[in-house]
């Protein structure tokens, strides 16, 4: 529940709460798959909050350059190299 916003149900309707619970379970299972298959060794046992702050909340800017969209990531994240390792590993797992 913690980290996925599942501490409380959103309303008093049983059907809506059941859908909310299913979406939360799906998000949790996808996170576990991502953590097991794509995250580098030091984050393989991290909580959802840690992963969110390390990757999803990383400062970056989407810019257009040479007719392509490029994500410019903050220097601190590039220095750690975690995002590149995760991307490379995810690409390898998806396209072998």
């Amino acid at each position: 529940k913690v980290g996925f916003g599942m501490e409380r149900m959103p309303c008093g309707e049983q059907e809506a709460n059941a859908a909310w619970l299913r979406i939360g379970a799906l998000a949790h299972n996808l996170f576990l798959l991502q953590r097991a298959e794509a995250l580098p060794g030091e984050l393989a046992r991290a909580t959802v909050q840690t992963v969110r702050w390390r990757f999803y909340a990383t400062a970056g800017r989407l810019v257009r350059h040479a007719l392509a969209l490029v994500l410019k990531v903050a220097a601190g994240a590039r220095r750690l190299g975690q995002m590149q390792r995760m991307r490379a590993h995810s690409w390898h797992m998806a396209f072998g």
Side-chain angles (χ1 to χ4, degrees):
K1 300 187 311 189
V2 177
F4 290 95
M6 303 299 296
E7 291 85 7
R8 283 182 230 95
M9 293 293 120
C11 66
E13 295 183 29
Q14 185 175 0
E15 293 83 13
N17 289 339
W20 180 258
L21 185 62
R22 286 185 183 112
I23 291 169
L26 179 63
H28 181 261
N29 288 330
L30 288 173
F31 169 72
L32 291 179
L33 179 65
Q34 176 193 22
R35 190 174 71 174
E37 298 294 330
L39 292 179
E42 66 269 12
L43 291 174
R45 296 183 52 89
T47 64
V48 69
Q49 291 94 339
T50 301
V51 173
R52 185 182 307 131
W53 283 107
R54 290 269 181 96
F55 295 109
Y56 306 134
T58 300
R61 184 182 323 170
L62 192 60
V63 296
R64 184 175 297 276
H65 177 70
L67 299 176
L69 289 175
V70 178
L71 177 62
K72 296 208 172 220
V73 180
R78 282 195 311 259
R79 235 186 344 265
L80 293 174
Q82 292 173 338
M83 190 167 290
Q84 287 89 350
R85 286 193 308 262
M86 185 176 84
R87 244 169 86 203
H89 187 73
S90 296
W91 182 266
H92 177 70
M93 294 301 291
F95 300 105

